[in-house]
Every structure is written in C-alpha cells, then in structure tokens.
Amino acid sequence: MPSIWNGFDTNPHTLPDACVVCAGGVGGNFLRLPCKHGGPESYPLHVECMIRSLVPVERGTPQQAPRCPVCRGGIDTETLTEVADYIRQDKLVTFPSEDGIAISQPLCQTPEQKASFLSLITTAHEAIHGGELEPSDQETSPAYYDHLSQIAEELINSINNSIEEHNYTLEEIDQKMLEIQDLDAHLLERSGRIALLDHVGWAIAGGDFGEIYDRLVSLRTQLERSREQLTEEREQKQREAEEQDHAHHFA
Ligand SMILES: [Zn+2]
Ligand SMILES: [Zn+2]
C-alpha cells in the first residue's frame, strides 16, 4: 500500500491536523510510516519534513537508522524507496487555497534540492540493517526489465480488449484491479530502488538506470490509465444492474 497521501484528497474530505514536525501546512503530501504515525488519523507528517528529519543531529556523528519523529519506531527501506521514487519523479503536490481551488507545485524547486533530498534518503537507507545500496544480479539484468514490461503490457492489453467488448463481470473487474495493484506495488519498489542506485552512480550493462527508471514509470502510468478505465467500467456495470432491477420492480 502506498504510504504517501495528499492532505487535499482525503475521502471523506476533511483537512488533516497540522504536521507534527513543522506544525503547519494542512495541505501538501504526507507520509504514513510503518508505525502508522504520519497517517491521516495519527500525527500527520509532511514528506519533506520526514526527509529533513533524516539529517544527523550533530555534524560528524554517524548516521543513525531513520526513526519516526513521534515514537522513534523504525522506518523501513520500502518506505524510503517509495519516497525516493516520489522525489525522483517530481510529483506535483496539491494544496488547497483559500477559495477551495487546488493549486499544484513541485516539491523540489531546484535540481540541487532534489539531489540533496535523494542524498539524505540514500544515507538513511544505508543506515538500515541490510539497506546497503548495491544492485542485485536481477537488477543489473536487462532481460529482467523486458520480462516486467511484458507482464505489464499483457495485463494492459487484456484489460483494453475486455473493456472494448464490455464483457467483464463485476468479479472479473475486481480481480483485474487486484492484479494492477500487485504489479504497481512491485514496479514502485523497483523504480524507487533504481532511483537510489542511479543517484549513487550505479549503471547497468549496455544502458543506464535512468532509462530503466523512465521505462518503469511509463508502465506505471499506463497501469494507472487501465485502473481508471476499470473504475468507469465498474460504474457503468453497476448502473446497468440497477436499471435492470428497477425495470423488474415495475414489471
Ligand atoms: Zn511539516
Ligand atoms: Zn511512530
């Protein structure tokens, strides 16, 4: 489950409490930590406030494993790779304005800011036991990314075809939603790691991690489109079922 959430998009729409670190900004993007702090219901924490909390307390002291600013619970590598992906992608942050209209802006205003955030995440990642940033054999194999692309493309094509023919049952739509969710979570973890590996200067035989990163992000964008289509298809199917019910009722 993605840990980053937007203060403006909560459903039902209630603005979260102030951020536990900066005590401000009910808008913006927040991060739910493994201990559940930082979520909408418990001590919201801005993504950038978490990243800034990763700076060692005293210059020159060894980096400590990253911890929750509320309970000192550990932050895991999955959470950090998700944040790395978010920073690398220059995701827009949506803020509510006075008149209730959303305004969006990037989190990092300059490339230097972005690099500095990625460096903080890298150091914190490496301070976690087992979090050394070294690519696995799989991660340096171009065939592995071809395989991932193939899986994603097959899923996207099969969804496209069935939506065109309008032949999914509601159960099948839910099943496809779950498949998208699993694959998306897997791609997110991969792309977050690649963002960090690329940042620390690793490369892949016959290519670079930057290209691989863009490819995975493009697959995730296509999966998101399939998810939206499935949502529309489900709404239409439900409307049709209700209309039929209604027709029966008056027959
Ligand atoms: Zn904050
Ligand atoms: Zn906590």
Side-chain angles (χ1 to χ4, degrees):
M1 272 299 269
S3 311
I4 294 173
W5 59 282
N6 185 277
F8 193 63
D9 295 336
T10 49
N11 185 18
H13 180 59
T14 45
L15 287 175
D17 293 337
C19 165
V20 69
V21 168
C22 70
V26 291
N29 282 2
F30 296 85
L31 179 69
R32 189 180 52 248
L33 298 174
C35 57
K36 305 280 189 282
H37 287 132
E41 50 302 288
S42 173
Y43 298 99
L45 168 67
H46 286 123
V47 180
E48 66 270 35
C49 291
M50 190 287 286
I51 300 173
R52 291 203 171 96
S53 80
L54 297 173
V55 178
V57 182
E58 283 175 51
R59 290 256 167 234
T61 58
Q63 175 71 38
Q64 307 266 311
R67 302 209 165 274
C68 166
V70 179
C71 71
R72 312 294 299 151
I75 300 179
D76 57 9
T77 52
E78 285 79 10
T79 305
L80 292 180
T81 48
E82 185 183 336
V83 175
D85 176 75
Y86 167 86
I87 297 295
R88 166 75 188 241
Q89 252 191 81
D90 288 322
K91 284 266 185 72
L92 293 178
V93 191
T94 313
F95 296 90
S97 66
E98 297 274 306
D99 49 8
I101 296 167
I103 38 173
S104 294
Q105 62 184 62
L107 183 67
C108 298
Q109 306 297 330
T110 62
E112 291 74 26
Q113 162 104 85
K114 186 169 164 177
S116 128
F117 274 171
L118 283 172
S119 294
L120 284 170
I121 300 165
T122 302
T123 317
H125 194 287
E126 293 194 307
I128 296 174
H129 181 70
E132 295 78 13
L133 281 166
E134 229 178 276
S136 65
D137 289 348
Q138 197 180 48
E139 281 171 322
T140 51
S141 152
Y144 170 65
Y145 301 103
D146 291 342
H147 177 66
L148 271 183
S149 306
Q150 199 187 335
I151 293 175
E153 279 156 16
E154 276 170 17
L155 179 60
I156 291 163
N157 287 338
S158 88
I159 291 172
N160 278 346
N161 290 340
S162 294
I163 283 184
E164 221 163 88
E165 294 177 12
H166 198 51
N167 63 4
Y168 270 147
T169 63
L170 284 172
E171 290 74 21
E172 283 165 340
I173 291 177
D174 289 340
Q175 177 57 36
K176 290 292 158 191
M177 286 288 211
L178 286 178
E179 285 176 37
I180 289 183
Q181 191 179 313
D182 285 351
L183 186 56
D184 187 58
H186 185 68
L187 291 172
L188 171 60
E189 204 214 320
R190 290 294 105 193
S191 59
R193 267 188 66 83
I194 290 168
L196 291 176
L197 290 170
D198 192 31
H199 180 69
V200 294
W202 286 97
I204 184 167
D208 69 69
F209 275 132
E211 283 165 32
I212 299 277
Y213 180 83
D214 292 342
R215 202 164 139 196
L216 295 189
V217 168
S218 141
L219 288 176
R220 292 184 54 215
T221 310
Q222 294 175 56
L223 282 175
E224 186 51 40
R225 203 173 311 135
S226 293
R227 196 204 309 265
E228 285 164 10
Q229 285 174 329
L230 282 174
T231 308
E232 273 173 34
E233 181 74 2
R234 176 158 57 197
E235 280 165 9
Q236 193 176 340
K237 288 263 170 189
Q238 274 164 344
R239 263 198 310 275
E240 282 170 9
E242 276 164 27
E243 275 162 22
Q244 258 181 14
D245 252 20
H246 199 71
H248 273 287
H249 192 74
F250 287 98

Short mmCIF file of all heavy atoms in Angstrom, two decimals, residues 121-177:
data_model
loop_
_atom_site.label_atom_id
_atom_site.label_comp_id
_atom_site.label_asym_id
_atom_site.label_seq_id
_atom_site.Cartn_x
_atom_site.Cartn_y
_atom_site.Cartn_z
N ILE A 121 18.02 10.52 1.66
CA ILE A 121 17.32 9.23 1.65
C ILE A 121 18.32 8.09 1.47
O ILE A 121 18.23 7.05 2.13
CB ILE A 121 16.25 9.20 0.52
CG1 ILE A 121 15.21 10.30 0.75
CG2 ILE A 121 15.55 7.85 0.47
CD1 ILE A 121 14.34 10.58 -0.46
N THR A 122 19.31 8.30 0.59
CA THR A 122 20.33 7.27 0.36
C THR A 122 21.07 6.93 1.66
O THR A 122 21.23 5.76 2.01
CB THR A 122 21.38 7.79 -0.66
OG1 THR A 122 20.69 8.12 -1.86
CG2 THR A 122 22.43 6.76 -0.96
N THR A 123 21.53 7.97 2.36
CA THR A 123 22.30 7.74 3.60
C THR A 123 21.44 7.01 4.63
O THR A 123 21.89 6.08 5.29
CB THR A 123 22.77 9.09 4.18
OG1 THR A 123 23.24 9.89 3.11
CG2 THR A 123 23.86 8.89 5.20
N ALA A 124 20.18 7.43 4.74
CA ALA A 124 19.28 6.78 5.70
C ALA A 124 19.04 5.32 5.31
O ALA A 124 19.03 4.43 6.16
CB ALA A 124 17.96 7.54 5.78
N HIS A 125 18.88 5.09 4.01
CA HIS A 125 18.64 3.73 3.52
C HIS A 125 19.81 2.84 3.90
O HIS A 125 19.66 1.71 4.38
CB HIS A 125 18.47 3.77 2.00
CG HIS A 125 17.91 2.54 1.37
ND1 HIS A 125 18.63 1.39 1.24
CD2 HIS A 125 16.68 2.27 0.85
CE1 HIS A 125 17.88 0.45 0.65
NE2 HIS A 125 16.69 0.98 0.40
N GLU A 126 21.04 3.36 3.73
CA GLU A 126 22.23 2.56 4.00
C GLU A 126 22.45 2.37 5.49
O GLU A 126 23.19 1.47 5.90
CB GLU A 126 23.44 3.18 3.31
CG GLU A 126 23.28 3.07 1.79
CD GLU A 126 24.55 3.33 1.01
OE1 GLU A 126 25.15 4.40 1.24
OE2 GLU A 126 24.91 2.49 0.17
N ALA A 127 21.83 3.22 6.32
CA ALA A 127 21.99 3.07 7.77
C ALA A 127 21.05 1.99 8.33
O ALA A 127 21.15 1.60 9.49
CB ALA A 127 21.71 4.41 8.48
N ILE A 128 20.12 1.50 7.48
CA ILE A 128 19.23 0.43 7.92
C ILE A 128 19.95 -0.90 7.71
O ILE A 128 20.63 -1.08 6.69
CB ILE A 128 17.91 0.45 7.11
CG1 ILE A 128 17.14 1.74 7.38
CG2 ILE A 128 17.04 -0.77 7.44
CD1 ILE A 128 15.91 1.91 6.51
N HIS A 129 19.81 -1.82 8.66
CA HIS A 129 20.46 -3.12 8.53
C HIS A 129 20.00 -3.79 7.23
O HIS A 129 18.81 -3.95 6.99
CB HIS A 129 20.13 -3.99 9.73
CG HIS A 129 20.78 -5.34 9.67
ND1 HIS A 129 22.15 -5.49 9.84
CD2 HIS A 129 20.29 -6.58 9.45
CE1 HIS A 129 22.45 -6.76 9.71
NE2 HIS A 129 21.34 -7.46 9.47
N GLY A 130 20.95 -4.17 6.38
CA GLY A 130 20.60 -4.79 5.09
C GLY A 130 20.25 -3.79 4.01
O GLY A 130 19.82 -4.17 2.93
N GLY A 131 20.40 -2.49 4.28
CA GLY A 131 19.97 -1.46 3.32
C GLY A 131 21.09 -0.93 2.44
O GLY A 131 20.94 0.11 1.82
N GLU A 132 22.23 -1.66 2.40
CA GLU A 132 23.34 -1.21 1.55
C GLU A 132 22.84 -1.14 0.10
O GLU A 132 22.20 -2.08 -0.38
CB GLU A 132 24.53 -2.18 1.60
CG GLU A 132 25.20 -2.28 2.96
CD GLU A 132 24.41 -3.14 3.95
OE1 GLU A 132 23.48 -3.86 3.50
OE2 GLU A 132 24.71 -3.07 5.15
N LEU A 133 23.17 -0.05 -0.57
CA LEU A 133 22.64 0.13 -1.92
C LEU A 133 23.59 -0.45 -2.95
O LEU A 133 24.50 0.22 -3.44
CB LEU A 133 22.37 1.61 -2.19
CG LEU A 133 21.05 2.07 -1.57
CD1 LEU A 133 20.97 3.58 -1.56
CD2 LEU A 133 19.86 1.48 -2.31
N GLU A 134 23.40 -1.72 -3.22
CA GLU A 134 24.18 -2.41 -4.23
C GLU A 134 23.19 -3.18 -5.08
O GLU A 134 22.32 -3.87 -4.53
CB GLU A 134 25.14 -3.37 -3.55
CG GLU A 134 26.56 -3.26 -4.04
CD GLU A 134 27.46 -4.21 -3.29
OE1 GLU A 134 27.91 -3.83 -2.19
OE2 GLU A 134 27.67 -5.32 -3.80
N PRO A 135 23.28 -3.08 -6.42
CA PRO A 135 22.27 -3.77 -7.23
C PRO A 135 22.44 -5.29 -7.17
O PRO A 135 23.57 -5.79 -7.10
CB PRO A 135 22.53 -3.25 -8.64
CG PRO A 135 23.90 -2.66 -8.63
CD PRO A 135 24.24 -2.31 -7.23
N SER A 136 21.33 -6.02 -7.18
CA SER A 136 21.38 -7.47 -7.25
C SER A 136 21.63 -7.88 -8.70
O SER A 136 21.55 -7.04 -9.60
CB SER A 136 20.04 -8.04 -6.79
OG SER A 136 19.03 -7.64 -7.69
N ASP A 137 21.92 -9.17 -8.93
CA ASP A 137 22.13 -9.65 -10.30
C ASP A 137 20.90 -9.36 -11.15
O ASP A 137 20.99 -8.98 -12.31
CB ASP A 137 22.41 -11.16 -10.30
CG ASP A 137 23.78 -11.47 -9.71
OD1 ASP A 137 24.56 -10.50 -9.53
OD2 ASP A 137 24.04 -12.64 -9.43
N GLN A 138 19.72 -9.59 -10.52
CA GLN A 138 18.47 -9.34 -11.24
C GLN A 138 18.38 -7.87 -11.67
O GLN A 138 18.01 -7.57 -12.80
CB GLN A 138 17.32 -9.69 -10.29
CG GLN A 138 16.00 -9.88 -10.97
CD GLN A 138 14.92 -10.22 -9.96
OE1 GLN A 138 14.79 -9.55 -8.92
NE2 GLN A 138 14.15 -11.24 -10.23
N GLU A 139 18.75 -6.98 -10.75
CA GLU A 139 18.60 -5.55 -11.04
C GLU A 139 19.53 -5.06 -12.14
O GLU A 139 19.29 -4.00 -12.72
CB GLU A 139 18.82 -4.73 -9.76
CG GLU A 139 17.60 -4.74 -8.87
CD GLU A 139 17.85 -4.12 -7.51
OE1 GLU A 139 18.95 -4.33 -6.94
OE2 GLU A 139 16.96 -3.44 -6.99
N THR A 140 20.61 -5.77 -12.40
CA THR A 140 21.51 -5.33 -13.48
C THR A 140 21.28 -6.13 -14.76
O THR A 140 22.05 -6.02 -15.70
CB THR A 140 22.99 -5.48 -13.06
OG1 THR A 140 23.18 -6.81 -12.56
CG2 THR A 140 23.36 -4.48 -12.00
N SER A 141 20.19 -6.93 -14.79
CA SER A 141 19.93 -7.73 -15.99
C SER A 141 18.86 -7.09 -16.86
O SER A 141 17.70 -6.98 -16.44
CB SER A 141 19.50 -9.13 -15.55
OG SER A 141 18.67 -9.71 -16.53
N PRO A 142 19.21 -6.66 -18.10
CA PRO A 142 18.21 -6.06 -18.98
C PRO A 142 17.03 -6.99 -19.23
O PRO A 142 15.89 -6.53 -19.39
CB PRO A 142 18.98 -5.79 -20.28
CG PRO A 142 20.42 -5.74 -19.89
CD PRO A 142 20.56 -6.68 -18.72
N ALA A 143 17.30 -8.32 -19.25
CA ALA A 143 16.22 -9.28 -19.53
C ALA A 143 15.12 -9.21 -18.46
O ALA A 143 13.94 -9.41 -18.75
CB ALA A 143 16.79 -10.70 -19.59
N TYR A 144 15.53 -8.90 -17.24
CA TYR A 144 14.56 -8.81 -16.15
C TYR A 144 13.55 -7.68 -16.42
O TYR A 144 12.34 -7.85 -16.21
CB TYR A 144 15.30 -8.57 -14.83
CG TYR A 144 14.42 -8.22 -13.68
CD1 TYR A 144 13.49 -9.15 -13.19
CD2 TYR A 144 14.49 -6.97 -13.07
CE1 TYR A 144 12.66 -8.83 -12.12
CE2 TYR A 144 13.67 -6.65 -12.01
CZ TYR A 144 12.76 -7.57 -11.53
OH TYR A 144 11.96 -7.24 -10.49
N TYR A 145 14.02 -6.55 -16.93
CA TYR A 145 13.11 -5.42 -17.19
C TYR A 145 12.24 -5.70 -18.42
O TYR A 145 11.09 -5.27 -18.47
CB TYR A 145 13.91 -4.12 -17.33
CG TYR A 145 14.70 -3.85 -16.07
CD1 TYR A 145 16.07 -4.09 -16.01
CD2 TYR A 145 14.05 -3.42 -14.91
CE1 TYR A 145 16.78 -3.88 -14.84
CE2 TYR A 145 14.76 -3.22 -13.74
CZ TYR A 145 16.12 -3.46 -13.70
OH TYR A 145 16.81 -3.28 -12.53
N ASP A 146 12.80 -6.46 -19.40
CA ASP A 146 11.98 -6.87 -20.54
C ASP A 146 10.83 -7.75 -20.06
O ASP A 146 9.69 -7.61 -20.50
CB ASP A 146 12.82 -7.65 -21.56
CG ASP A 146 13.83 -6.76 -22.25
OD1 ASP A 146 13.65 -5.52 -22.19
OD2 ASP A 146 14.81 -7.28 -22.81
N HIS A 147 11.16 -8.65 -19.13
CA HIS A 147 10.16 -9.55 -18.57
C HIS A 147 9.06 -8.76 -17.85
O HIS A 147 7.87 -9.01 -18.06
CB HIS A 147 10.86 -10.53 -17.62
CG HIS A 147 9.95 -11.48 -16.92
ND1 HIS A 147 9.23 -12.45 -17.59
CD2 HIS A 147 9.63 -11.59 -15.61
CE1 HIS A 147 8.51 -13.12 -16.71
NE2 HIS A 147 8.72 -12.62 -15.51
N LEU A 148 9.47 -7.79 -17.02
CA LEU A 148 8.49 -6.95 -16.30
C LEU A 148 7.59 -6.20 -17.29
O LEU A 148 6.37 -6.13 -17.11
CB LEU A 148 9.21 -5.94 -15.43
CG LEU A 148 9.58 -6.33 -14.00
CD1 LEU A 148 10.22 -5.13 -13.30
CD2 LEU A 148 8.35 -6.80 -13.23
N SER A 149 8.20 -5.64 -18.34
CA SER A 149 7.42 -4.89 -19.34
C SER A 149 6.40 -5.79 -19.99
O SER A 149 5.26 -5.39 -20.23
CB SER A 149 8.32 -4.33 -20.44
OG SER A 149 9.35 -3.57 -19.89
N GLN A 150 6.84 -7.02 -20.29
CA GLN A 150 5.96 -7.96 -20.97
C GLN A 150 4.74 -8.28 -20.10
O GLN A 150 3.60 -8.27 -20.59
CB GLN A 150 6.74 -9.23 -21.29
CG GLN A 150 6.11 -10.06 -22.37
CD GLN A 150 6.85 -11.39 -22.51
OE1 GLN A 150 8.03 -11.51 -22.17
NE2 GLN A 150 6.16 -12.40 -23.00
N ILE A 151 4.99 -8.54 -18.81
CA ILE A 151 3.88 -8.85 -17.90
C ILE A 151 2.89 -7.68 -17.87
O ILE A 151 1.67 -7.86 -17.97
CB ILE A 151 4.42 -9.13 -16.48
CG1 ILE A 151 5.23 -10.42 -16.48
CG2 ILE A 151 3.29 -9.20 -15.47
CD1 ILE A 151 5.88 -10.72 -15.15
N ALA A 152 3.43 -6.46 -17.74
CA ALA A 152 2.56 -5.28 -17.64
C ALA A 152 1.78 -5.09 -18.95
O ALA A 152 0.57 -4.83 -18.93
CB ALA A 152 3.39 -4.04 -17.32
N GLU A 153 2.46 -5.23 -20.08
CA GLU A 153 1.78 -5.00 -21.36
C GLU A 153 0.68 -6.02 -21.61
O GLU A 153 -0.39 -5.68 -22.12
CB GLU A 153 2.80 -4.98 -22.51
CG GLU A 153 3.48 -3.63 -22.61
CD GLU A 153 4.84 -3.67 -23.29
OE1 GLU A 153 5.13 -4.68 -23.95
OE2 GLU A 153 5.61 -2.70 -23.12
N GLU A 154 0.94 -7.27 -21.22
CA GLU A 154 -0.10 -8.30 -21.40
C GLU A 154 -1.34 -7.97 -20.57
O GLU A 154 -2.47 -8.11 -21.04
CB GLU A 154 0.45 -9.68 -21.01
CG GLU A 154 1.20 -10.33 -22.16
CD GLU A 154 1.96 -11.59 -21.76
OE1 GLU A 154 1.66 -12.16 -20.68
OE2 GLU A 154 2.84 -12.01 -22.53
N LEU A 155 -1.10 -7.54 -19.33
CA LEU A 155 -2.24 -7.20 -18.46
C LEU A 155 -3.02 -6.02 -19.06
O LEU A 155 -4.25 -6.05 -19.16
CB LEU A 155 -1.73 -6.88 -17.05
CG LEU A 155 -2.77 -6.47 -16.02
CD1 LEU A 155 -3.82 -7.58 -15.82
CD2 LEU A 155 -2.12 -6.15 -14.67
N ILE A 156 -2.29 -4.98 -19.48
CA ILE A 156 -2.93 -3.78 -20.04
C ILE A 156 -3.73 -4.14 -21.30
O ILE A 156 -4.89 -3.72 -21.46
CB ILE A 156 -1.86 -2.70 -20.34
CG1 ILE A 156 -1.29 -2.16 -19.02
CG2 ILE A 156 -2.45 -1.56 -21.17
CD1 ILE A 156 0.02 -1.42 -19.17
N ASN A 157 -3.14 -4.96 -22.18
CA ASN A 157 -3.84 -5.34 -23.41
C ASN A 157 -5.10 -6.15 -23.13
O ASN A 157 -6.14 -5.93 -23.74
CB ASN A 157 -2.92 -6.14 -24.33
CG ASN A 157 -1.88 -5.25 -24.98
OD1 ASN A 157 -2.07 -4.03 -25.06
ND2 ASN A 157 -0.78 -5.84 -25.40
N SER A 158 -4.99 -7.09 -22.18
CA SER A 158 -6.17 -7.91 -21.91
C SER A 158 -7.29 -7.05 -21.32
O SER A 158 -8.47 -7.23 -21.65
CB SER A 158 -5.82 -9.11 -21.02
OG SER A 158 -5.92 -8.78 -19.66
N ILE A 159 -6.93 -6.06 -20.49
CA ILE A 159 -7.96 -5.17 -19.93
C ILE A 159 -8.58 -4.32 -21.05
O ILE A 159 -9.81 -4.20 -21.15
CB ILE A 159 -7.36 -4.28 -18.82
CG1 ILE A 159 -7.02 -5.14 -17.60
CG2 ILE A 159 -8.32 -3.15 -18.43
CD1 ILE A 159 -6.25 -4.42 -16.52
N ASN A 160 -7.74 -3.77 -21.93
CA ASN A 160 -8.24 -2.96 -23.04
C ASN A 160 -9.24 -3.73 -23.88
O ASN A 160 -10.31 -3.22 -24.22
CB ASN A 160 -7.08 -2.52 -23.94
CG ASN A 160 -6.38 -1.31 -23.38
OD1 ASN A 160 -6.90 -0.66 -22.47
ND2 ASN A 160 -5.21 -1.02 -23.90
N ASN A 161 -8.88 -4.98 -24.22
CA ASN A 161 -9.75 -5.78 -25.07
C ASN A 161 -11.09 -6.04 -24.40
O ASN A 161 -12.15 -5.89 -25.02
CB ASN A 161 -9.08 -7.11 -25.42
CG ASN A 161 -7.92 -6.91 -26.37
OD1 ASN A 161 -7.85 -5.87 -27.05
ND2 ASN A 161 -7.00 -7.86 -26.40
N SER A 162 -11.04 -6.43 -23.13
CA SER A 162 -12.29 -6.77 -22.45
C SER A 162 -13.17 -5.54 -22.25
O SER A 162 -14.39 -5.64 -22.29
CB SER A 162 -12.03 -7.43 -21.11
OG SER A 162 -11.41 -8.67 -21.32
N ILE A 163 -12.56 -4.40 -22.05
CA ILE A 163 -13.37 -3.18 -21.86
C ILE A 163 -14.02 -2.82 -23.19
O ILE A 163 -15.19 -2.45 -23.25
CB ILE A 163 -12.51 -2.04 -21.29
CG1 ILE A 163 -12.30 -2.30 -19.79
CG2 ILE A 163 -13.18 -0.69 -21.51
CD1 ILE A 163 -11.57 -1.26 -19.05
N GLU A 164 -13.28 -2.97 -24.27
CA GLU A 164 -13.83 -2.69 -25.59
C GLU A 164 -15.05 -3.59 -25.85
O GLU A 164 -16.06 -3.15 -26.40
CB GLU A 164 -12.76 -2.96 -26.65
CG GLU A 164 -12.73 -1.95 -27.76
CD GLU A 164 -11.41 -2.04 -28.50
OE1 GLU A 164 -11.37 -2.84 -29.44
OE2 GLU A 164 -10.45 -1.36 -28.10
N GLU A 165 -14.91 -4.86 -25.47
CA GLU A 165 -16.01 -5.79 -25.72
C GLU A 165 -17.04 -5.78 -24.59
O GLU A 165 -18.07 -6.47 -24.68
CB GLU A 165 -15.45 -7.20 -25.94
CG GLU A 165 -14.63 -7.25 -27.21
CD GLU A 165 -13.98 -8.59 -27.47
OE1 GLU A 165 -14.34 -9.57 -26.78
OE2 GLU A 165 -13.10 -8.65 -28.34
N HIS A 166 -16.73 -5.03 -23.54
CA HIS A 166 -17.69 -4.81 -22.47
C HIS A 166 -18.13 -6.16 -21.84
O HIS A 166 -19.28 -6.34 -21.49
CB HIS A 166 -18.91 -4.08 -23.07
CG HIS A 166 -19.79 -3.42 -22.05
ND1 HIS A 166 -19.31 -2.56 -21.08
CD2 HIS A 166 -21.13 -3.48 -21.87
CE1 HIS A 166 -20.32 -2.14 -20.34
NE2 HIS A 166 -21.43 -2.67 -20.79
N ASN A 167 -17.18 -7.12 -21.75
CA ASN A 167 -17.59 -8.46 -21.32
C ASN A 167 -17.07 -8.88 -19.94
O ASN A 167 -17.09 -10.05 -19.60
CB ASN A 167 -17.22 -9.51 -22.38
CG ASN A 167 -15.72 -9.59 -22.60
OD1 ASN A 167 -14.96 -8.92 -21.90
ND2 ASN A 167 -15.29 -10.40 -23.55
N TYR A 168 -16.58 -7.93 -19.14
CA TYR A 168 -16.16 -8.27 -17.79
C TYR A 168 -17.36 -8.39 -16.87
O TYR A 168 -18.29 -7.58 -16.96
CB TYR A 168 -15.26 -7.17 -17.22
CG TYR A 168 -13.79 -7.33 -17.48
CD1 TYR A 168 -12.99 -6.20 -17.65
CD2 TYR A 168 -13.18 -8.57 -17.51
CE1 TYR A 168 -11.62 -6.31 -17.87
CE2 TYR A 168 -11.82 -8.69 -17.73
CZ TYR A 168 -11.05 -7.55 -17.91
OH TYR A 168 -9.72 -7.66 -18.12
N THR A 169 -17.32 -9.35 -15.93
CA THR A 169 -18.28 -9.33 -14.83
C THR A 169 -17.69 -8.44 -13.74
O THR A 169 -16.50 -8.11 -13.78
CB THR A 169 -18.48 -10.74 -14.24
OG1 THR A 169 -17.22 -11.18 -13.71
CG2 THR A 169 -18.96 -11.73 -15.29
N LEU A 170 -18.51 -8.05 -12.76
CA LEU A 170 -18.00 -7.21 -11.67
C LEU A 170 -16.87 -7.92 -10.94
O LEU A 170 -15.89 -7.29 -10.53
CB LEU A 170 -19.13 -6.86 -10.70
CG LEU A 170 -20.12 -5.80 -11.20
CD1 LEU A 170 -21.30 -5.68 -10.26
CD2 LEU A 170 -19.44 -4.43 -11.35
N GLU A 171 -16.99 -9.25 -10.76
CA GLU A 171 -15.94 -10.02 -10.07
C GLU A 171 -14.64 -9.96 -10.86
O GLU A 171 -13.56 -9.83 -10.28
CB GLU A 171 -16.35 -11.48 -9.89
CG GLU A 171 -17.47 -11.74 -8.89
CD GLU A 171 -18.85 -11.33 -9.41
OE1 GLU A 171 -19.01 -11.23 -10.66
OE2 GLU A 171 -19.75 -11.08 -8.58
N GLU A 172 -14.74 -10.06 -12.18
CA GLU A 172 -13.53 -10.02 -13.01
C GLU A 172 -12.87 -8.64 -12.94
O GLU A 172 -11.65 -8.53 -12.91
CB GLU A 172 -13.87 -10.37 -14.47
CG GLU A 172 -14.06 -11.87 -14.67
CD GLU A 172 -14.73 -12.22 -16.00
OE1 GLU A 172 -15.39 -11.34 -16.60
OE2 GLU A 172 -14.60 -13.38 -16.41
N ILE A 173 -13.70 -7.60 -12.87
CA ILE A 173 -13.14 -6.25 -12.75
C ILE A 173 -12.36 -6.14 -11.44
O ILE A 173 -11.23 -5.65 -11.41
CB ILE A 173 -14.26 -5.18 -12.81
CG1 ILE A 173 -14.84 -5.14 -14.23
CG2 ILE A 173 -13.74 -3.81 -12.40
CD1 ILE A 173 -16.00 -4.18 -14.42
N ASP A 174 -12.95 -6.65 -10.34
CA ASP A 174 -12.26 -6.59 -9.04
C ASP A 174 -10.96 -7.38 -9.09
O ASP A 174 -9.94 -6.95 -8.53
CB ASP A 174 -13.17 -7.12 -7.93
CG ASP A 174 -14.31 -6.16 -7.64
OD1 ASP A 174 -14.18 -4.98 -8.02
OD2 ASP A 174 -15.33 -6.58 -7.06
N GLN A 175 -10.99 -8.53 -9.76
CA GLN A 175 -9.79 -9.37 -9.89
C GLN A 175 -8.68 -8.61 -10.63
O GLN A 175 -7.54 -8.58 -10.19
CB GLN A 175 -10.17 -10.67 -10.62
CG GLN A 175 -9.03 -11.60 -10.90
CD GLN A 175 -8.28 -12.01 -9.62
OE1 GLN A 175 -8.91 -12.18 -8.57
NE2 GLN A 175 -6.97 -12.12 -9.71
N LYS A 176 -9.05 -7.93 -11.72
CA LYS A 176 -8.06 -7.18 -12.50
C LYS A 176 -7.51 -6.02 -11.69
O LYS A 176 -6.35 -5.66 -11.78
CB LYS A 176 -8.66 -6.68 -13.82
CG LYS A 176 -8.96 -7.78 -14.82
CD LYS A 176 -7.68 -8.40 -15.33
CE LYS A 176 -7.94 -9.80 -15.88
NZ LYS A 176 -6.73 -10.57 -16.17
N MET A 177 -8.37 -5.39 -10.89
CA MET A 177 -7.94 -4.29 -10.01
C MET A 177 -6.84 -4.77 -9.07
O MET A 177 -5.86 -4.09 -8.84
CB MET A 177 -9.11 -3.76 -9.18
CG MET A 177 -10.11 -2.94 -9.96
SD MET A 177 -9.42 -1.31 -10.38
CE MET A 177 -10.87 -0.32 -10.40
#
